[in-house]
Amino acid sequence: MGYWNSKVVPKFKKLFEKNSAKKAAAAEATKTFDESKETINKEIEEKKTELQPKVVETYEATSAEVKALVRDPKVAGLKKNSAAVQKYLEELVKIEFPGSKAVSEASSSFGAGYVAGPVTFIFEKVSVFLPEEVKTKEIPVEERRLLKRQRKARPLKPRSWRRRNQR
């Protein structure tokens, strides 16, 4: 047991804790961002009229994946599309959206998955400036299949009825 604890276990720990420094730095960046949320909110309220057309313009120029993430940010989506998210954050920095510079720097250093909280916060603030999404009446695939089956299924007639009508 001594060899296992002295030689093998430390190697496993080292293998699985490679990103611990990165996670700690990302947590620190998230903490500093959380402290500055109030000032960011105030800046957004002050510049609301200036920012709206710029935000809508940058939003329209992005890909569908990023548009979906801006409307409904999810951590899994941020990790999956981290390059596109980083590009959109850089566009927000160009239009001087409050708080986007710090989030963009943290995201480029640590990845969008590690700083998901600040990225989500910025995306929620951006979504306030966007016009309401017009939803078309589209039936989900599962409901369409169910409706198709209901149309195909005909009620069974009793055997006695079939025999009488065949003669």
Side-chain angles (χ1 to χ4, degrees):
M1 212 48 178
Y3 178 78
W4 179 263
N5 286 333
S6 65
K7 300 286 184 182
V8 179
V9 173
K11 288 183 181 181
F12 276 130
K13 286 184 180 178
K14 190 175 184 181
L15 177 72
F16 289 113
E17 293 180 1
K18 275 188 175 179
N19 293 330
S20 63
K22 192 175 187 179
K23 287 179 184 178
E28 184 65 32
T30 302
K31 184 180 176 184
T32 57
F33 181 81
D34 287 342
E35 293 170 356
S36 66
K37 278 184 180 179
E38 290 179 20
T39 58
I40 292 171
N41 282 332
K42 288 177 185 175
E43 287 181 45
I44 289 173
E45 287 300 318
E46 291 171 2
K47 298 181 179 181
K48 200 169 195 172
T49 56
E50 300 168 13
L51 289 173
Q52 179 149 11
K54 294 177 183 177
V55 168
V56 171
E57 184 180 325
T58 56
Y59 177 78
E60 293 298 325
T62 60
S63 64
E65 295 89 14
V66 175
K67 286 181 181 179
L69 284 172
V70 169
R71 294 271 184 194
D72 185 27
K74 295 179 181 167
V75 176
L78 293 175
K79 288 180 180 179
K80 185 178 178 183
N81 301 310
S82 62
V85 167
Q86 180 61 34
K87 187 176 178 183
Y88 186 67
L89 286 172
E90 289 170 3
E91 292 296 320
L92 289 176
V93 169
K94 288 179 186 174
I95 64 168
E96 298 175 2
F97 193 84
S100 62
K101 186 173 184 178
V103 174
S104 177
E105 289 172 358
S107 176
S108 64
S109 299
F110 312 117
Y114 287 118
V115 288
V119 172
T120 302
F121 178 79
I122 293 293
F123 281 180
E124 287 172 354
K125 294 301 175 184
V126 166
S127 66
V128 171
F129 292 104
L130 302 176
E132 289 294 318
E133 195 173 278
V134 179
K135 294 184 180 180
T136 59
K137 186 179 178 184
E138 187 171 318
I139 301 172
V141 176
E142 295 170 9
E143 288 184 30
R144 275 192 245 149
R145 288 180 185 159
L146 182 64
L147 290 172
K148 227 178 199 181
R149 287 181 191 156
Q150 288 175 350
R151 276 188 249 140
K152 284 184 179 179
R154 295 182 183 155
L156 294 176
K157 298 172 184 169
R159 284 187 174 181
S160 60
W161 186 83
R162 282 189 240 156
R163 288 185 194 146
R164 278 188 240 148
N165 290 334
Q166 288 178 354
R167 294 181 191 176

